[in-house]
Amino acid sequence: MGSSLSLIASVAILRSSINDFVPQEMQSFLQELAGRFTSELTMVISDSHEESKNHLFHALMMYLGSNAFSTPSVPRRITVGKNENIKALAYGLDRNCKIVDTFLGADMKWSYCSEFNSALQYEMKWYELRFHKRHASMVRSKYLPYIIEMAKIIKDQNRVVKFHTTRGGRDGWNFKGINLDHPMTFDTLAMDGNLKQKVIEDLDRFVRGKNYYRKIGKVWKRGYLLYGPPGTGKSSLIAAMANHLNFDIYSLNLSAVSSDSSLESLLLHMSNRSILVVEDIDCSVELQNRQAGDRPSDHDKTPRKPQEKAVTLSGLLNAIDGLLSCCGDERVIVFTTNFKDRIDPALLRAGRMDLHINLSYCTFSTFKQLAETYLDICNHDLFPRIEKLISEVQVSPAEVAGELMKIRNPETSLEGLCGFLECKREAAKSSAPPTSVPESLEDAPGGV
């Protein structure tokens, strides 16, 4: 033990003597000379680059931290932490720790270093990467871009979904947003037939389509129109979309926006990977259907004063589909309405609302999903009776869910639902109800 300590002390003294007595120019020459006889290259990635934040450095923190426990050479010291903006614990390398990452069969030897500069009162931090010279081209063209791509995926998966609204009618989003802890997912969302799967596939195709959108010269965004009677699950579908994509939600009340320029400012301050939601767009502002000859007073019960500015149809069209729309990537736009025919066709065409999703009254397929979710049953003797009643009345999924929540005993709950549906049927006999349209998914007119 004593001899080991003596050796370490001798090495430290020798290193200090070299730094004190050997000129810096000579040290650099000796290092360059030694480099000619080694097969390894060293790459340094500092925390800043040209007086600004080095994005590669921060990508490395995320990438290497996520791999800390999955490599054979687990670091001796690992940092761990969590804040309100991430879902899971985040890991990283502590100072002077090393890790070996294998990429395409090649060993990438990483070490994390830091040093406090007393003159600048600043801690300098950097990563050093050592690899064989023959892998230099691969590191530059494949490995480093791979790290940036993987770090983005890790960050996107671990971020907490935020909900943003306009600030009390003023032209701006609330500063930080609030955490969206909505429990609705596509697993618990009741939608008829294959519609749910088609929506999921469309969303997945969109998020994977960055290169495709760039290839065809289109902005990386997707528009959805959700329409149907109240209580058919439009807001629930939006929450499921946000949780599935892990996108922030920006809820826009058009009637609280003072002008077209204010609307442009709001959209410019949205983050990427977000969903812009405009609910009940047919009655938010005076965006009447010009082809149908609607007047503002037909649907807007509280019209603005003549001198008061408002968002115009032209301003909204330019904001979601004009040059402004290219100032952001990976964005979803969702409009909801109870009355599709009240919306101007200019808002509905492909490129604005690409997919039209009709959320109609409850069907037997939707009921079975609700029964499984709320009562944990897949079949029951009362199902045929309920199927017949649902085909005879118009009832929203929200109404059915409300009945199923009253009592958790399946037998009693289903009996209560039958009574509820029979009452609705008797009440509807006095007037002929409108024809129910099944839930469906439509491409927008002019879509590909």
Side-chain angles (χ1 to χ4, degrees):
M1 182 67 178
S3 59
S4 298
L5 293 174
S6 176
L7 177 61
I8 293 173
S10 300
V11 170
I13 293 172
L14 178 61
R15 182 176 179 180
S16 177
S17 300
I18 291 174
N19 290 333
D20 291 339
F21 298 106
V22 179
Q24 184 64 40
E25 293 80 2
M26 180 61 70
Q27 292 184 39
S28 300
F29 172 76
L30 292 174
Q31 289 175 358
E32 182 181 351
L33 183 65
R36 296 180 181 179
F37 297 97
T38 180
S39 60
E40 285 191 332
L41 289 178
T42 300
M43 186 176 288
V44 178
I45 299 97
S46 61
D47 60 342
S48 62
H49 179 70
E50 296 183 350
E51 299 182 356
S52 63
K53 184 171 71 172
N54 189 344
H55 292 283
L56 178 57
F57 176 87
H58 293 278
L60 277 168
M61 291 180 64
M62 209 162 297
Y63 174 76
L64 294 178
S66 68
N67 291 341
F69 294 103
S70 59
T71 62
S73 57
V74 178
R76 291 175 293 120
R77 292 171 59 86
I78 297 174
T79 63
V80 60
K82 186 182 183 306
N83 60 45
E84 61 181 11
N85 295 318
I86 60 176
K87 296 178 180 177
L89 297 174
Y91 299 94
L93 302 185
D94 199 7
R95 184 174 59 180
N96 299 326
C97 279
K98 299 180 180 181
I99 189 173
V100 178
D101 184 34
T102 303
F103 181 76
L104 298 181
D107 286 343
M108 302 291 150
K109 304 170 185 176
W110 289 98
S111 58
Y112 176 60
C113 312
S114 67
E115 182 177 293
F116 186 77
N117 188 318
S118 57
L120 299 175
Q121 292 294 301
Y122 174 73
E123 184 181 17
M124 299 179 294
K125 296 175 285 188
W126 69 94
Y127 286 98
E128 291 184 0
L129 169 62
R130 293 186 295 115
F131 54 89
H132 198 281
K133 289 180 178 179
R134 65 173 176 266
H135 300 310
S137 178
M138 181 265 288
V139 169
R140 185 176 63 254
S141 62
K142 295 182 180 180
Y143 184 51
L144 296 181
Y146 169 79
I147 289 174
I148 294 175
E149 179 183 355
M150 290 303 299
K152 180 182 182 301
I153 293 174
I154 295 166
K155 178 182 178 181
D156 291 341
Q157 290 176 342
N158 199 27
R159 67 197 288 265
V160 172
V161 175
K162 297 285 187 177
F163 182 80
H164 302 265
T165 61
T166 49
R167 299 178 301 202
R170 290 180 290 166
D171 296 328
W173 302 108
N174 55 339
F175 179 60
K176 289 185 177 180
I178 59 174
N179 291 352
L180 182 67
D181 193 23
H182 201 294
M184 181 59 70
T185 66
F186 278 113
D187 291 333
T188 54
L189 179 67
M191 289 179 69
D192 191 35
N194 297 321
L195 180 59
K196 183 195 299 187
Q197 188 58 35
K198 290 179 180 178
V199 172
I200 294 173
E201 290 172 358
D202 191 81
L203 291 169
D204 291 342
R205 189 162 49 247
F206 166 72
V207 296
R208 294 194 303 264
K210 180 178 182 179
N211 293 333
Y212 175 74
Y213 275 79
R214 186 169 293 277
K215 173 187 173 184
I216 63 176
K218 286 187 176 292
V219 178
W220 193 14
K221 65 181 180 67
R222 188 77 169 156
Y224 297 87
L225 174 71
L226 313 184
Y227 67 99
T232 51
K234 294 184 283 294
S235 296
S236 296
L237 176 55
I238 293 170
M241 293 168 69
N243 285 327
H244 180 74
L245 298 172
N246 218 43
F247 279 19
D248 289 347
I249 291 180
Y250 287 79
S251 180
L252 179 61
N253 179 4
L254 287 176
S255 61
V257 183
S258 61
S259 63
D260 290 343
S261 60
S262 297
L263 176 62
E264 292 177 358
S265 177
L266 283 168
L267 268 60
L268 284 171
H269 288 86
M270 286 177 58
S271 65
N272 292 337
R273 293 182 58 84
S274 59
I275 302 176
L276 175 67
V277 177
V278 183
E279 296 191 277
D280 298 319
I281 189 168
D282 56 295
C283 53
S284 293
V285 291
E286 299 173 6
L287 302 176
Q288 68 274 14
N289 185 341
R290 297 168 295 177
Q291 291 186 4
D294 289 348
R295 294 170 302 182
S297 57
D298 290 341
H299 315 304
D300 190 353
K301 296 181 179 179
T302 57
R304 292 174 181 260
K305 298 177 181 179
Q307 70 273 18
E308 191 175 359
K309 293 182 180 181
V311 174
T312 64
L313 177 60
S314 174
L316 180 60
L317 294 176
N318 289 331
I320 65 173
D321 194 32
L323 291 175
L324 178 69
S325 66
C326 69
C327 300
D329 272 338
E330 234 175 333
R331 288 183 179 175
V332 171
I333 303 172
V334 180
F335 291 166
T336 75
T337 179
N338 296 336
F339 306 100
K340 181 182 177 181
D341 58 343
R342 293 182 180 178
I343 301 178
D344 195 286
L347 273 172
L348 302 182
R349 72 161 177 80
R352 291 166 182 161
M353 294 294 102
D354 302 287
L355 213 55
H356 300 177
I357 303 173
N358 178 23
L359 298 171
S360 188
Y361 292 106
C362 188
T363 64
F364 184 62
S365 171
T366 306
F367 159 73
K368 288 194 294 183
Q369 296 175 59
L370 291 170
E372 183 174 2
T373 300
Y374 286 83
L375 303 177
D376 293 322
I377 58 173
C378 298
N379 201 0
H380 194 276
D381 293 341
L382 289 173
F383 274 21
R385 180 180 167 192
I386 293 173
E387 182 178 12
K388 183 175 184 299
L389 287 167
I390 284 180
S391 67
E392 296 173 346
V393 300
Q394 291 183 335
V395 59
S396 70
E399 290 177 299
V400 173
E403 291 298 315
L404 297 179
M405 287 182 67
K406 290 180 178 179
I407 303 173
R408 296 188 181 181
N409 177 272
E411 182 79 24
T412 310
S413 181
L414 294 178
E415 284 285 1
L417 177 61
C418 288
F420 172 77
L421 295 174
E422 287 169 350
C423 289
K424 286 188 73 72
R425 182 180 61 182
E426 294 303 317
K429 282 183 179 180
S430 59
S431 61
T435 304
S436 176
V437 180
E439 291 185 342
S440 63
L441 180 148
E442 313 162 14
D443 287 317
V448 179

